Amino acid sequence: MIELKNVSFSYSQGQKENGLYDINVTIQRGEVVLLCGESGCGKTTLTRLINGLIPNYYEGSLAGEVRINGRPVNKLPLYETAKMVGSVFQNPRSQFFNVDTTSELAFGCENRGLPEEEIRERIGEAVSDFKMEGLMGRSIFQLSGGEKQKIACASVSTTHPDIFVLDEPSSNLDTASIEELRRLMGLWKSKGKTIIIAEHRLYFMRELVDRVLYMKNGKIEKEFHSEQIKAMNLAKLSTMGLRPLFLEGLKRDPKTIPLKPEDLWLSDFVFSYKHKSSAIRIDSLTAPKGSIVAVIGHNGAGKSTFARCLCGLEKNCTGTLSFGDVTYKGRERLKRCCMVMQDVNHQLFTESVLDEILLSMDEGDPAKAESILNSLDLLPLKDLHPMSLSGGQKQRVAIASAIASEKEIILFDEPTSGLDLRHMREVAHNLEQLQQMGKTLFVISHDLELILASCTHVLHFEKGSVIDNYPLNDKGEKKLLSFFIRNHQEQANHYDVQCI
């Protein structure tokens, strides 16, 4: 049993947005509890109290009691709490200790001194449960964001904790992988495990959760049982800033698609990782200049690699990008393109949010930088250190930097990863503003809502190649919905059959 009594916490840097105030909640053994609410409402901070990262890693002022099975978490060393609680973070890379996948799955068990035979059995069990045989023995650095998330979940599963704490575990997963996560959570629940999950995507959780804690401004604003949350319509959820419970019924926002747009031409794009077959092979591809192009496909399909190749970050990638009669090779593309990475921690460099935006400008303009920050709901955070922000806030800082760069082509790799409904809509609005400025945008995303809200065209990748390229008109909308909903339903039906 998990008990939080009169708990308040503020970080030592004084970041009030992520603090907690007067939290009182009890979570019973075997319960699945969903933490939801807008970015920065305190969900992640609450998970850190349960897994012991507060106060052992994150310093601050803590009042009240946090107990697991009667034991005070704040007085236990982390290794003791880790025996009871397994954690999956929003950024899986932050919890890796090895460079290959198999060793990562073994790491937690080895730390506990388990016999080699038992470790191998646990790894085999996790690999089978997660259906990830193809990910074993691979370099961590060559995995997609979604594949890394699966490794993080599996590595925690091998340690057999009684409590699982997950912070935005679906943020980088495709629909098929999200349903695999749902299946695994169902398996954990059937074994009597306690699950606390902070999430913005609600649709895959609706049949699993026992209780929902809706958080706002560092407090538990409301509490719902599963049937209450499932009874809420889209309008009610929207007023609370929550994502929908169903993918079915979502519609695109109609966009004007130019009848004869000028095209960008990509030709002879080929790239391979060392000692591997081709990761990207594109003989010829056109994309309308001035459009917002969604790049979709399963995890590991080559979407992020394509983005890195397009903007010239992969030195060994052959290929050219053409605008009319002008052709750009790798280094030349670096001057024309800007990329918002999936892991934005790689591109935050300065001491304040405002300085981060000014750094992206050819000529620093504080007034313009503040205007960009205000459009993304970041202006109150302008003097804070970027690394002190929540995952969703960091993501928006990186997007603001891309807007400030004024490059012709901007690539976004999962720009709404970890974002709530309101901030997802703000990102969609900013994408539209960039399009109106004449920018060409490529948006790698598993977020169906974002694509429907902002994109005008779709590139569908599988196995490093483009298998479809279409405008997001009425016909394209049906094709897009079919891809997302079909995968969701197929995986859900497979899960349901297994549970019978």
Side-chain angles (χ1 to χ4, degrees), residues 77-101:
L78 271 176
Y79 66 83
E80 286 292 338
T81 305
K83 293 177 182 178
M84 301 182 288
V85 184
S87 300
V88 178
F89 305 134
Q90 183 175 344
N91 177 12
R93 185 174 171 273
S94 65
Q95 67 186 93
F96 291 151
F97 293 89
N98 296 274
V99 296
D100 72 278
T101 56

Side-chain angles (χ1 to χ4, degrees), residues 382-396:
K382 69 175 184 177
D383 296 322
L384 295 179
H385 196 293
M387 299 308 291
S388 73
L389 305 181
S390 70
Q393 290 165 340
K394 289 179 185 177
Q395 192 81 16
R396 287 172 7 239

Side-chain angles (χ1 to χ4, degrees), residues 75 166 168 230 296 306 315 345 418:
K75 295 181 180 179
L166 302 96
E168 301 286 350
K230 283 191 287 186
I296 68 171
F306 162 73
K315 295 180 180 179
N345 293 295

Side-chain angles (χ1 to χ4, degrees), residues 15 56 91 93 99 120 251 283 310 313 325 422 487:
Q15 187 180 347
N56 290 293
N91 177 12
R93 185 174 171 273
V99 296
R120 292 185 183 276
K251 299 289 184 181
D283 296 328
L310 177 58
L313 291 176
D325 297 329
R422 178 167 65 92
N487 279 292

Side-chain angles (χ1 to χ4, degrees), residues 404-424:
S405 73
E406 298 188 343
K407 297 290 181 68
E408 295 177 61
I409 300 174
I410 305 179
L411 299 99
F412 297 87
D413 196 352
E414 297 291 351
T416 54
S417 171
L419 295 191
D420 56 50
L421 177 66
R422 178 167 65 92
H423 292 115
M424 180 277 291

Side-chain angles (χ1 to χ4, degrees), residues 144-358:
S144 69
E147 290 169 335
K148 289 176 183 176
Q149 191 69 288
K150 291 176 73 172
I151 293 296
C153 290
S155 64
V156 171
S157 189
T158 60
T159 63
H160 292 181
D162 289 327
I163 300 168
F164 288 88
V165 173
L166 302 96
D167 188 7
E168 301 286 350
S170 76
S171 59
N172 295 318
L173 299 182
D174 60 24
T175 51
S177 297
I178 287 173
E179 287 306 319
E180 286 184 22
L181 174 63
R182 181 174 83 105
R183 178 179 61 82
L184 261 297
M185 290 177 62
L187 180 62
W188 291 336
K189 183 176 182 178
S190 71
K191 294 180 179 180
K193 305 294 186 180
T194 304
I195 303 172
I196 298 96
I197 178 169
E199 258 291 354
H200 291 303
R201 288 174 173 165
L202 305 185
Y203 72 89
F204 79 99
M205 293 289 299
R206 65 177 184 264
E207 301 299 335
L208 280 176
V209 297
D210 299 303
R211 223 171 1 136
V212 176
L213 303 181
Y214 173 66
M215 300 189 66
K216 187 175 183 179
N217 299 326
K219 297 181 179 181
I220 297 176
E221 183 86 358
K222 296 178 182 178
E223 182 176 327
F224 305 97
H225 291 287
S226 58
E227 294 305 317
Q228 291 174 301
I229 198 76
K230 283 191 287 186
M232 290 184 184
N233 58 30
L234 189 59
K236 175 64 174 177
L237 292 167
S238 182
T239 59
M240 296 170 64
L242 300 180
R243 299 282 194 116
L245 288 165
F246 299 90
L247 293 180
E248 297 82 357
L250 292 178
K251 299 289 184 181
R252 83 183 193 281
D253 292 342
K255 300 288 185 300
T256 300
I257 301 175
L259 295 177
K260 295 182 179 179
E262 181 183 354
D263 283 339
L264 282 65
W265 290 83
L266 286 73
S267 58
D268 301 322
F269 266 70
V270 178
F271 173 75
S272 300
Y273 289 106
K274 191 176 182 180
H275 306 309
K276 298 287 184 179
S277 58
S278 295
I280 292 292
R281 175 171 288 279
I282 301 173
D283 296 328
S284 179
L285 174 67
T286 62
K289 184 179 178 181
S291 59
I292 307 176
V293 182
V295 182
I296 68 171
H298 295 296
N299 288 127
K303 304 183 298 297
S304 296
T305 304
F306 162 73
R308 292 178 59 83
C309 290
L310 177 58
C311 63
L313 291 176
E314 295 292 353
K315 295 180 180 179
N316 296 324
C317 176
T318 63
T320 58
L321 168 67
S322 301
F323 289 90
D325 297 329
V326 183
T327 298
Y328 302 99
K329 294 187 177 180
R331 288 188 177 180
E332 297 164 326
R333 294 198 298 273
L334 279 170
K335 300 176 182 179
R336 301 284 177 175
C337 302
C338 177
M339 183 173 177
V340 178
M341 297 180 181
Q342 192 172 45
D343 183 357
V344 296
N345 293 295
H346 289 311
Q347 56 189 124
L348 300 176
F349 305 107
T350 66
E351 298 297 316
S352 74
V353 170
L354 180 60
D355 286 344
E356 199 70 48
I357 311 309
L358 293 172

Side-chain angles (χ1 to χ4, degrees), residues 485-495:
I485 295 175
R486 183 182 69 249
N487 279 292
H488 166 60
Q489 290 177 338
E490 286 176 354
Q491 293 292 328
N493 290 339
H494 177 68
Y495 165 83

